[in-house]
mmCIF file of all heavy atoms in Angstrom:
data_model
loop_
_atom_site.group_PDB
_atom_site.id
_atom_site.type_symbol
_atom_site.label_atom_id
_atom_site.label_comp_id
_atom_site.label_asym_id
_atom_site.label_seq_id
_atom_site.Cartn_x
_atom_site.Cartn_y
_atom_site.Cartn_z
ATOM 1 N N LEU A 279 -13.308 1.276 -7.284
ATOM 2 C CA LEU A 279 -13.018 -0.151 -7.088
ATOM 3 C C LEU A 279 -11.505 -0.390 -7.014
ATOM 4 O O LEU A 279 -11.018 -1.079 -6.102
ATOM 5 C CB LEU A 279 -13.618 -0.961 -8.241
ATOM 6 C CG LEU A 279 -13.418 -2.478 -8.203
ATOM 7 C CD1 LEU A 279 -14.171 -3.086 -7.040
ATOM 8 C CD2 LEU A 279 -13.877 -3.115 -9.514
ATOM 9 N N LEU A 280 -10.753 0.196 -7.952
ATOM 10 C CA LEU A 280 -9.293 0.046 -7.966
ATOM 11 C C LEU A 280 -8.669 0.642 -6.720
ATOM 12 O O LEU A 280 -7.722 0.078 -6.150
ATOM 13 C CB LEU A 280 -8.706 0.705 -9.221
ATOM 14 C CG LEU A 280 -8.981 0.009 -10.561
ATOM 15 C CD1 LEU A 280 -8.518 0.888 -11.714
ATOM 16 C CD2 LEU A 280 -8.289 -1.347 -10.619
ATOM 17 N N ASN A 281 -9.191 1.802 -6.297
ATOM 18 C CA ASN A 281 -8.680 2.475 -5.114
ATOM 19 C C ASN A 281 -8.797 1.599 -3.870
ATOM 20 O O ASN A 281 -7.859 1.504 -3.070
ATOM 21 C CB ASN A 281 -9.463 3.774 -4.916
ATOM 22 C CG ASN A 281 -8.595 4.906 -4.421
ATOM 23 O OD1 ASN A 281 -9.070 5.992 -4.160
ATOM 24 N ND2 ASN A 281 -7.304 4.686 -4.296
ATOM 25 N N VAL A 282 -9.938 0.942 -3.713
ATOM 26 C CA VAL A 282 -10.162 0.066 -2.556
ATOM 27 C C VAL A 282 -9.283 -1.186 -2.649
ATOM 28 O O VAL A 282 -8.611 -1.564 -1.682
ATOM 29 C CB VAL A 282 -11.654 -0.331 -2.448
ATOM 30 C CG1 VAL A 282 -11.858 -1.382 -1.361
ATOM 31 C CG2 VAL A 282 -12.510 0.901 -2.159
ATOM 32 N N LEU A 283 -9.281 -1.823 -3.826
ATOM 33 C CA LEU A 283 -8.520 -3.068 -4.005
ATOM 34 C C LEU A 283 -7.020 -2.867 -3.795
ATOM 35 O O LEU A 283 -6.325 -3.774 -3.336
ATOM 36 C CB LEU A 283 -8.774 -3.647 -5.404
ATOM 37 C CG LEU A 283 -10.157 -4.251 -5.641
ATOM 38 C CD1 LEU A 283 -10.314 -4.695 -7.088
ATOM 39 C CD2 LEU A 283 -10.413 -5.433 -4.693
ATOM 40 N N HIS A 284 -6.534 -1.657 -4.140
ATOM 41 C CA HIS A 284 -5.101 -1.398 -4.003
ATOM 42 C C HIS A 284 -4.637 -1.421 -2.550
ATOM 43 O O HIS A 284 -3.457 -1.597 -2.272
ATOM 44 C CB HIS A 284 -4.735 -0.050 -4.636
ATOM 45 C CG HIS A 284 -3.267 0.182 -4.708
ATOM 46 N ND1 HIS A 284 -2.610 1.067 -3.891
ATOM 47 C CD2 HIS A 284 -2.303 -0.390 -5.470
ATOM 48 C CE1 HIS A 284 -1.319 1.043 -4.164
ATOM 49 N NE2 HIS A 284 -1.110 0.174 -5.107
ATOM 50 N N HIS A 285 -5.584 -1.289 -1.612
ATOM 51 C CA HIS A 285 -5.222 -1.298 -0.198
ATOM 52 C C HIS A 285 -5.346 -2.687 0.432
ATOM 53 O O HIS A 285 -5.013 -2.853 1.607
ATOM 54 C CB HIS A 285 -6.108 -0.314 0.576
ATOM 55 C CG HIS A 285 -5.833 1.116 0.246
ATOM 56 N ND1 HIS A 285 -6.434 1.767 -0.822
ATOM 57 C CD2 HIS A 285 -4.998 2.016 0.810
ATOM 58 C CE1 HIS A 285 -5.988 3.011 -0.876
ATOM 59 N NE2 HIS A 285 -5.127 3.188 0.095
ATOM 60 N N VAL A 286 -5.798 -3.677 -0.346
ATOM 61 C CA VAL A 286 -5.968 -5.008 0.246
ATOM 62 C C VAL A 286 -5.299 -6.123 -0.550
ATOM 63 O O VAL A 286 -4.750 -7.066 0.045
ATOM 64 C CB VAL A 286 -7.477 -5.318 0.474
ATOM 65 C CG1 VAL A 286 -8.222 -5.475 -0.836
ATOM 66 C CG2 VAL A 286 -7.663 -6.532 1.355
ATOM 67 N N ILE A 287 -5.295 -6.043 -1.894
ATOM 68 C CA ILE A 287 -4.703 -7.137 -2.686
ATOM 69 C C ILE A 287 -3.195 -7.268 -2.456
ATOM 70 O O ILE A 287 -2.711 -8.369 -2.162
ATOM 71 C CB ILE A 287 -5.036 -6.993 -4.194
ATOM 72 C CG1 ILE A 287 -6.537 -7.233 -4.422
ATOM 73 C CG2 ILE A 287 -4.230 -7.992 -5.026
ATOM 74 C CD1 ILE A 287 -6.983 -7.106 -5.863
ATOM 75 N N PRO A 288 -2.390 -6.179 -2.579
ATOM 76 C CA PRO A 288 -0.957 -6.331 -2.287
ATOM 77 C C PRO A 288 -0.709 -6.823 -0.858
ATOM 78 O O PRO A 288 0.188 -7.634 -0.626
ATOM 79 C CB PRO A 288 -0.400 -4.911 -2.481
ATOM 80 C CG PRO A 288 -1.351 -4.257 -3.423
ATOM 81 C CD PRO A 288 -2.693 -4.812 -3.045
ATOM 82 N N ALA A 289 -1.530 -6.361 0.098
ATOM 83 C CA ALA A 289 -1.373 -6.782 1.498
ATOM 84 C C ALA A 289 -1.629 -8.280 1.666
ATOM 85 O O ALA A 289 -1.013 -8.935 2.511
ATOM 86 C CB ALA A 289 -2.332 -5.992 2.387
ATOM 87 N N ALA A 290 -2.536 -8.829 0.857
ATOM 88 C CA ALA A 290 -2.832 -10.270 0.915
ATOM 89 C C ALA A 290 -1.761 -11.091 0.205
ATOM 90 O O ALA A 290 -1.441 -12.208 0.618
ATOM 91 C CB ALA A 290 -4.208 -10.546 0.305
ATOM 92 N N LEU A 291 -1.197 -10.533 -0.875
ATOM 93 C CA LEU A 291 -0.210 -11.273 -1.674
ATOM 94 C C LEU A 291 1.214 -11.193 -1.112
ATOM 95 O O LEU A 291 1.977 -12.150 -1.230
ATOM 96 C CB LEU A 291 -0.210 -10.753 -3.112
ATOM 97 C CG LEU A 291 -1.460 -11.011 -3.956
ATOM 98 C CD1 LEU A 291 -1.318 -10.388 -5.335
ATOM 99 C CD2 LEU A 291 -1.725 -12.505 -4.087
ATOM 100 N N ASN A 292 1.573 -10.057 -0.518
ATOM 101 C CA ASN A 292 2.954 -9.863 -0.040
ATOM 102 C C ASN A 292 3.461 -10.967 0.882
ATOM 103 O O ASN A 292 4.539 -11.524 0.650
ATOM 104 C CB ASN A 292 3.093 -8.501 0.666
ATOM 105 C CG ASN A 292 3.102 -7.339 -0.312
ATOM 106 O OD1 ASN A 292 3.342 -7.519 -1.501
ATOM 107 N ND2 ASN A 292 2.821 -6.151 0.177
ATOM 108 N N PRO A 293 2.723 -11.326 1.968
ATOM 109 C CA PRO A 293 3.240 -12.374 2.861
ATOM 110 C C PRO A 293 3.331 -13.743 2.196
ATOM 111 O O PRO A 293 4.160 -14.560 2.577
ATOM 112 C CB PRO A 293 2.220 -12.393 4.014
ATOM 113 C CG PRO A 293 0.994 -11.768 3.457
ATOM 114 C CD PRO A 293 1.450 -10.767 2.459
ATOM 115 N N ILE A 294 2.479 -13.981 1.184
ATOM 116 C CA ILE A 294 2.518 -15.273 0.485
ATOM 117 C C ILE A 294 3.733 -15.344 -0.431
ATOM 118 O O ILE A 294 4.497 -16.306 -0.407
ATOM 119 C CB ILE A 294 1.209 -15.501 -0.315
ATOM 120 C CG1 ILE A 294 0.012 -15.573 0.640
ATOM 121 C CG2 ILE A 294 1.295 -16.764 -1.165
ATOM 122 C CD1 ILE A 294 -1.338 -15.503 -0.023
ATOM 123 N N VAL A 295 3.931 -14.291 -1.238
ATOM 124 C CA VAL A 295 5.042 -14.282 -2.199
ATOM 125 C C VAL A 295 6.386 -14.127 -1.500
ATOM 126 O O VAL A 295 7.341 -14.835 -1.801
ATOM 127 C CB VAL A 295 4.843 -13.164 -3.240
ATOM 128 C CG1 VAL A 295 6.062 -13.016 -4.136
ATOM 129 C CG2 VAL A 295 3.607 -13.439 -4.092
ATOM 130 N N TYR A 296 6.465 -13.182 -0.543
ATOM 131 C CA TYR A 296 7.741 -12.923 0.132
ATOM 132 C C TYR A 296 8.018 -13.896 1.267
ATOM 133 O O TYR A 296 9.161 -14.223 1.554
ATOM 134 C CB TYR A 296 7.764 -11.499 0.691
ATOM 135 C CG TYR A 296 8.085 -10.445 -0.325
ATOM 136 C CD1 TYR A 296 7.078 -9.744 -0.967
ATOM 137 C CD2 TYR A 296 9.404 -10.141 -0.663
ATOM 138 C CE1 TYR A 296 7.363 -8.767 -1.904
ATOM 139 C CE2 TYR A 296 9.700 -9.173 -1.600
ATOM 140 C CZ TYR A 296 8.683 -8.488 -2.217
ATOM 141 O OH TYR A 296 8.973 -7.529 -3.149
ATOM 142 N N GLY A 297 6.935 -14.331 1.939
ATOM 143 C CA GLY A 297 7.108 -15.141 3.127
ATOM 144 C C GLY A 297 7.009 -16.635 2.925
ATOM 145 O O GLY A 297 7.993 -17.370 3.060
ATOM 146 N N VAL A 298 5.807 -17.095 2.568
ATOM 147 C CA VAL A 298 5.553 -18.543 2.505
ATOM 148 C C VAL A 298 6.434 -19.229 1.467
ATOM 149 O O VAL A 298 6.806 -20.391 1.623
ATOM 150 C CB VAL A 298 4.051 -18.809 2.237
ATOM 151 C CG1 VAL A 298 3.765 -20.293 2.128
ATOM 152 C CG2 VAL A 298 3.210 -18.208 3.356
ATOM 153 N N ARG A 299 6.798 -18.497 0.382
ATOM 154 C CA ARG A 299 7.651 -19.098 -0.642
ATOM 155 C C ARG A 299 9.119 -19.120 -0.219
ATOM 156 O O ARG A 299 9.963 -19.649 -0.938
ATOM 157 C CB ARG A 299 7.497 -18.345 -1.974
ATOM 158 C CG ARG A 299 6.137 -18.523 -2.604
ATOM 159 C CD ARG A 299 6.038 -17.900 -3.967
ATOM 160 N NE ARG A 299 6.593 -18.752 -4.998
ATOM 161 C CZ ARG A 299 7.703 -18.502 -5.677
ATOM 162 N NH1 ARG A 299 8.415 -17.433 -5.402
ATOM 163 N NH2 ARG A 299 8.134 -19.310 -6.616
#
Side-chain angles (χ1 to χ4, degrees):
L279 180 67
L280 289 171
N281 218 183
V282 173
L283 288 176
H284 188 253
H285 291 86
V286 68
I287 292 180
L291 293 178
N292 286 342
I294 297 168
V295 173
Y296 280 96
V298 178
R299 292 186 82 249

